[in-house]
Amino acid sequence: MELHNVWFVLIAFLWIGYFFLEGFDFGIGILTRLLARDRAEKRVLINTIGPVWDGNEVWLLTAGGATFAAFPEWYATLFSGFYLPLLIILVCLIVRGVAFEYRVKRPEERWQRNWETAIFWTSLIPAFLWGVAFGNIVHGVKLDAEFEYVGNVWDLLNPYALLGGLVTLTLFTFHGAVFAALKTVGDIRGRARQMALRVGLATAVLALVFLAWTQIERGDGASLVAMVVAVASLVAALVANQAGREGWSFSLSGVTIVAAVTMLFLTLFPNVMPSTLDADWSLTVTNASSSDYTLTIMTWLTVIAAPLVMLYQGWTYWVFRKRIGTQHIADPVH
């Protein structure tokens, strides 16, 4: 396999890892308003991701850095054409990180409530916009012969991309709900399972329509297999959730994300950004990639560093694997 194809696969892997991990991360942030009944329960939900949320975002930084180094033309076109939505996502992630850290720095109720509101919105908005962005990448955008994006921001808000945004929003919320059920005890655990059922049913309908649309437009045999796995895993996750098997439900919702994102990349390849104006103006793994020398150096660095990083992050999840409830929340010290 040629190196530019290898790096397309590696970048797909990084985005899959990001959406798997940050998916439940965003979901928990959204559920702080939809599920938690009081401040203690909000603290429980936030504490379920407290030790890991910043590590989850490393996958995004790595995916962006890998795209910049391996496919600079793709990176340049993507970040110039999608400037406004990506800027909104970046601002949300910055504010979200500040909100996690500053929320308990002062005892005033208004102070904490405002930061909790920020956590909700800065989780919901990126969860939606990532789906819109990837919907446009897969569906294609207006690229000219110089690989420049010549559309406007309203062109990005097409029906396919908006549906993709609704799918990621509901799927991440479902993923977060089953994670909350897996990581909590007491009354909030049962309500998280009920929330997962309601959100999961809506997700199943939206995901089926979106994936079927994708398959009809750009799919092949491999993408069809990925679509079937995604839909079957989502249904199985709902069944496991109803049976009280939170571990299985969370694992299966994760498989849904993995299979769905895999399908998107399968339908995209060998393009990295199709042009809706002329197929010959599309960015591909060939015309958007760096030199073989650059890709070779990147490959060796990845072989050495990636396993160490993944082992460390896996160890973090193992250390903080136990369930928590309101009885474990100590009074804040200021």
Side-chain angles (χ1 to χ4, degrees):
M1 182 183 292
E2 297 184 17
L3 282 178
H4 52 70
N5 292 337
V6 170
W7 274 96
F8 179 86
V9 174
L10 289 175
I11 288 172
F13 173 76
L14 291 171
W15 281 110
I16 289 169
Y18 174 67
F19 286 140
F20 181 98
L21 296 173
E22 193 82 321
F24 71 77
D25 200 321
F26 286 143
I28 290 294
I30 295 168
L31 292 172
T32 56
R33 175 165 291 190
L34 302 182
L35 180 63
R37 290 178 173 174
D38 53 33
R39 177 138 297 117
E41 290 189 349
K42 288 182 179 181
R43 291 178 64 190
V44 168
L45 289 175
I46 292 172
N47 283 3
T48 62
I49 60 172
V52 298
W53 68 266
D54 48 355
N56 294 343
E57 292 187 355
V58 171
W59 287 75
L60 172 62
L61 299 176
T62 308
T67 303
F68 172 77
F71 299 100
E73 193 74 47
W74 183 15
Y75 182 93
T77 302
L78 178 65
F79 278 79
S80 60
F82 291 22
Y83 181 81
L84 181 59
L86 292 179
L87 176 63
I88 293 173
I89 291 174
L90 178 60
V91 171
C92 284
L93 294 180
I94 292 172
V95 174
R96 189 169 182 264
V98 173
F100 281 133
E101 298 297 332
Y102 277 36
R103 182 181 55 87
V104 293
K105 296 301 183 183
R106 288 172 56 177
E108 293 89 346
E109 180 178 350
R110 182 178 179 182
W111 171 272
Q112 296 189 6
R113 186 174 62 249
N114 288 341
W115 286 118
E116 288 162 359
T117 300
I119 290 172
F120 170 77
W121 286 110
T122 56
S123 299
L124 185 147
I125 293 172
F128 175 74
L129 288 181
W130 278 128
V132 173
F134 269 81
N136 278 290
I137 291 173
V138 172
H139 189 257
V141 292
K142 295 179 179 179
L143 299 184
D144 63 14
E146 302 298 323
F147 307 127
E148 298 284 344
Y149 178 68
V150 293
N152 55 53
V153 69
W154 302 111
D155 293 325
L156 302 178
L157 302 179
N158 57 79
Y160 178 83
L162 292 174
L163 178 59
L166 291 176
V167 170
T168 52
L169 175 59
T170 54
L171 181 56
F172 291 169
T173 305
F174 171 70
H175 197 41
V178 294
F179 181 77
L182 176 66
K183 289 287 292 179
T184 58
V185 295
D187 180 58
I188 193 172
R189 177 185 177 188
R191 285 188 283 111
R193 286 169 50 192
Q194 295 172 4
M195 178 67 70
L197 174 62
R198 294 194 294 269
V199 177
L201 291 174
T203 304
V205 174
L206 293 170
L208 181 60
V209 175
F210 178 74
L211 295 179
W213 189 346
T214 306
Q215 178 65 26
I216 292 170
E217 280 202 345
R218 298 185 176 275
D220 56 15
S223 63
L224 180 60
V225 172
M227 172 184 168
V228 171
V229 172
V231 174
S233 298
L234 182 55
V235 173
L238 285 167
V239 173
N241 176 71
Q242 286 302 99
R245 303 296 297 272
E246 290 100 343
W248 278 104
S249 183
F250 177 72
S251 299
L252 288 165
S253 69
V255 172
T256 301
I257 293 175
V258 171
V261 180
T262 298
M263 179 189 177
L264 295 182
F265 275 95
L266 286 172
T267 57
L268 183 61
F269 185 82
N271 295 318
V272 294
M273 187 171 283
S275 172
T276 58
L277 300 179
D278 190 322
D280 293 335
W281 298 345
S282 299
L283 281 170
T284 68
V285 293
T286 303
N287 62 25
S289 70
S290 295
S291 66
D292 283 342
Y293 180 73
T294 300
L295 296 179
T296 300
I297 294 176
M298 291 174 60
T299 302
W300 281 110
L301 291 174
T302 301
V303 168
I304 296 170
L308 299 176
V309 174
M310 295 179 68
L311 283 172
Y312 172 76
Q313 189 165 26
W315 175 78
T316 303
Y317 276 92
W318 174 255
V319 169
F320 296 101
R321 67 189 182 278
K322 293 184 178 180
R323 297 176 182 267
I324 62 173
T326 53
Q327 67 271 27
H328 300 117
I329 302 298
D331 293 332
V333 177
H334 299 279

